[in-house]
């Protein structure tokens, strides 16, 4: 079993299957000059499968596939097929920008993918272009509608960006009146590859909740699992729910059950650490399953108490990476 030095049990892996992406969200990537890694430096699907199998034998029972954009990687659907044979995994979840997934929705339903998190930060086409720097609003919104009609459990990720979309928080919550899905407001983090964006206002958990409370009465908190990233709420008599993820204020670290592996095989105990070990190199040097298990057990021991300590322990100055390389 994977248990860290604070007694937290690790059961959830976030795996970035690629560093490539078809969009250029301003909070995630710089507009130009992105250095994608060479293909040979990416984990292969076979390596990912092996890492997942070994981790699942150590108690990891949930996996989230992310990136970059997972659906831009060739054969991603075959990888999902492969993963679905691992009966130790109770949940396979995907985070996607949605633009490419319309033809794959029936297959995702067939594979019993548990949660699809669709990133859609705005309900307006002109803003979509500004935020995501690609003109794919209508394709993405159509996928949102298709997913609502599907059997998949849908969560909509909205990064709350000062100066861009804060006036749409209420519109998003209004959508949950008749539609059964969860909208999740994520605090923006300074992970866009060029350091902290110049923000006019600090839209943290408290401010986001206050914005909703100003427009709706009778908001009830909903109990969630201890390890949940979002604090969840529902407006009385609404079909759907809304959640707020204190990603940057980091008030959820005490119950963290997550580890991350980047597309190049870097193991991360925390979103805010620099990466603690390269599993790809270890595997390519011929590591056995037993050696991999020992590595995971020992590395998890070093999981920092919280994201502030992880950030302080970084050797480099501040967080300069991007979510597309970290695997959001
Ligand atoms: N490309 C996929 C997508 O956009 O959903 C998956 C990868 S993306 C890095 C995963 C999640 O991280 C998305 O929901 C995205 O909105 C979020 N994200 C990216 N950069 C962020 C930032 N600087 N602050 C907060 N969330 C961020
Ligand atoms: Fe691509 Fe997702 Fe990053 Fe946007 S948030 S640039 S869609 S990886």
């Amino acid at each position: 079993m994977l248990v860290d030095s604070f007694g937290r049990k690790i059961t959830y892996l976030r795996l970035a299957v690629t560093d490539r992406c078809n969009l250029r969200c301003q909070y995630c990537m710089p507009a130009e000059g992105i250095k994608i890694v060479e293909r040979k430096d990416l984990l292969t699907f076979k390596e990912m499968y092996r890492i997942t199998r070994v981790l699942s034998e150590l108690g990891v029972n949930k996996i989230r596939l992310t990136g970059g954009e997972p659906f831009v990687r060739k054969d991603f659907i075959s990888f999902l097929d492969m993963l679905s044979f691992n009966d130790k995994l109770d949940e396979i979840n995907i985070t996607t920008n949605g633009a490419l997934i319309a033809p794959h929705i029936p297959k995702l339903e067939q594979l019993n993918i548990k949660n699809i998190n669709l990133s859609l930060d705005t309900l307006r086409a002109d803003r979509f272009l500004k935020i995501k720097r690609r003109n794919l609003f209508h394709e993405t919104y159509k996928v949102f509608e298709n997913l609502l009609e599907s059997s998949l459990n849908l969560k909509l990720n909205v990064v709350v960006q000062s100066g861009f979309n804060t006036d749409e928080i209420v519109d998003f919550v209004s959508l949950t009146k008749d539609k059964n899905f969860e909208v999740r407001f994520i605090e923006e983090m300074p992970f866009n590859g060029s350091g902290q964006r110049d923000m006019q206002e600090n839209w943290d958990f408290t401010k986001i909740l206050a914005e909703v409370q100003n427009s709706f009465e009778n908001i009830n908190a909903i109990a969630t699992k201890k390890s949940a990233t979002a604090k969840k709420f529902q407006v009385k008599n609404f079909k759907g729910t809304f959640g707020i993820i204190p990603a940057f204020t980091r008030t959820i670290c005490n119950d963290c059950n997550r580890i991350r592996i980047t597309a190049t095989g870097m193991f991360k105990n925390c979103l805010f650490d620099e990466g603690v070990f390269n599993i790809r190199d270890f595997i390519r040097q011929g590591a056995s399953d037993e050696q991999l298990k020992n590595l995971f057990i020992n590395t998890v021991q070093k999981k920092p108490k919280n994201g502030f300590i992880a950030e302080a322990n970084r050797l480099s100055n501040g967080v300069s990476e991007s979510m597309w390389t970290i695997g959001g």
Side-chain angles (χ1 to χ4, degrees), residues 21 27-28 66-70 95-97 119 157 159 186-189 191 323-324 328:
C21 190
Y27 49 75
C28 178
T66 177
E69 172 51 35
T95 303
T96 173
N97 64 41
S119 301
N157 283 359
V159 177
I186 308 176
E187 289 176 349
E188 183 175 356
M189 297 177 282
F191 289 169
M323 284 296 274
W324 106 89

Side-chain angles (χ1 to χ4, degrees), residues 4 13 32 114 117 165 169 189 234 268 303 316 318:
D4 76 3
L13 167 67
E32 310 280 342
K114 173 91 177 167
N117 289 21
N165 63 353
I169 291 173
M189 297 177 282
Q234 189 169 37
K268 286 172 74 85
K303 187 171 166 75
S316 61

Side-chain angles (χ1 to χ4, degrees), residues 14 18 20-23 25-29 64-70 94-98 117-121 132 156-161 186-192 199 247-248 271 322-328:
R14 294 195 183 210
T18 181
R20 274 78 163 159
C21 190
N22 50 333
L23 304 183
C25 304
Q26 52 102 14
Y27 49 75
C28 178
M29 285 190 175
R64 172 166 299 282
L65 302 164
T66 177
E69 172 51 35
I94 305 174
T95 303
T96 173
N97 64 41
N117 289 21
L118 174 70
S119 301
L120 180 67
D121 305 306
K132 299 192 170 263
L156 204 68
N157 283 359
V158 179
V159 177
V160 177
Q161 301 150 69
I186 308 176
E187 289 176 349
E188 183 175 356
M189 297 177 282
F191 289 169
N192 64 0
M199 297 184 204
F248 195 53
L271 182 61
S322 302
M323 284 296 274
W324 106 89
T325 54
I326 297 172

Side-chain angles (χ1 to χ4, degrees), residues 80-320:
L80 287 177
D81 238 332
M82 217 156 64
L83 269 189
S84 69
F85 283 97
N86 183 340
D87 59 7
K88 289 192 160 59
L89 290 179
D90 298 334
E91 280 185 25
I92 301 175
N93 302 322
I94 305 174
T95 303
T96 173
N97 64 41
L100 299 170
I101 81 165
H104 301 301
I105 292 175
K107 181 69 182 172
L108 300 178
E109 288 178 294
Q110 187 207 327
L111 288 174
N112 258 332
I113 299 302
K114 173 91 177 167
N115 293 306
I116 294 281
N117 289 21
L118 174 70
S119 301
L120 180 67
D121 305 306
T122 175
L123 300 167
R124 305 183 195 181
D126 55 333
R127 284 194 180 169
F128 186 99
L129 180 60
K130 263 192 208 135
I131 294 172
K132 299 192 170 263
R133 302 195 186 105
R134 295 289 184 272
N135 202 358
L136 286 166
F137 173 76
H138 296 289
E139 290 77 353
T140 310
Y141 195 82
K142 185 76 196 135
V143 160
F144 169 53
E145 291 179 324
N146 292 349
L147 286 170
L148 279 172
E149 282 161 20
S150 75
S151 60
L152 298 160
N153 189 25
L154 173 64
K155 299 183 183 180
L156 204 68
N157 283 359
V158 179
V159 177
V160 177
Q161 301 150 69
S162 164
F164 284 88
N165 63 353
T166 55
D167 56 347
E168 290 187 67
I169 291 173
V170 169
D171 299 344
F172 275 111
V173 176
S174 299
L175 275 184
T176 67
K177 183 165 193 263
D178 304 311
K179 297 184 187 356
N180 185 11
F181 73 102
E182 180 183 336
V183 55
R184 291 143 53 99
F185 300 110
I186 308 176
E187 289 176 349
E188 183 175 356
M189 297 177 282
F191 289 169
N192 64 0
S194 45
Q196 180 91 45
R197 193 166 69 74
D198 189 18
M199 297 184 204
Q200 297 155 20
E201 286 175 311
N202 177 21
W203 280 82
D204 61 6
F205 180 95
T206 312
K207 192 166 167 70
I208 297 168
L209 184 57
E211 176 77 5
V212 185
Q213 283 166 332
N214 274 340
S215 295
F216 300 96
E217 285 172 8
N218 287 325
I219 296 173
N220 302 313
I222 300 178
T224 48
K225 277 193 215 147
K226 233 174 98 185
S227 56
T229 44
K231 304 279 175 213
K232 224 169 135 174
F233 304 88
Q234 189 169 37
V235 180
K236 199 173 170 197
N237 296 328
F238 278 24
K239 280 195 182 149
T241 57
F242 73 92
I244 308 177
I245 303 183
F248 195 53
T249 47
R250 290 165 255 185
T251 48
I252 45 179
C253 301
N254 274 349
D255 299 316
C256 183
N257 64 347
R258 290 172 287 280
I259 50 174
R260 288 165 197 271
I261 296 177
T262 70
T264 54
M266 191 57 86
F267 184 101
K268 286 172 74 85
N269 267 320
C270 173
L271 182 61
F272 290 84
D273 75 27
E274 276 176 310
V276 280
F277 198 90
N278 194 303
I279 310 163
R280 177 201 63 205
D281 295 346
F282 196 50
I283 289 179
R284 291 183 190 176
Q285 283 153 16
S288 67
D289 282 3
E290 244 2 82
Q291 286 173 317
L292 268 176
K293 277 188 185 163
N294 285 333
L295 171 80
F296 290 136
I297 290 168
N298 292 330
T299 309
V300 157
Q301 280 294 313
K302 297 179 203 135
K303 187 171 166 75
K305 188 163 184 222
N306 59 48
F308 293 103
I309 291 181
E311 192 175 359
N313 286 345
R314 294 172 72 99
L315 297 174
S316 61
N317 256 345
V319 182
S320 61

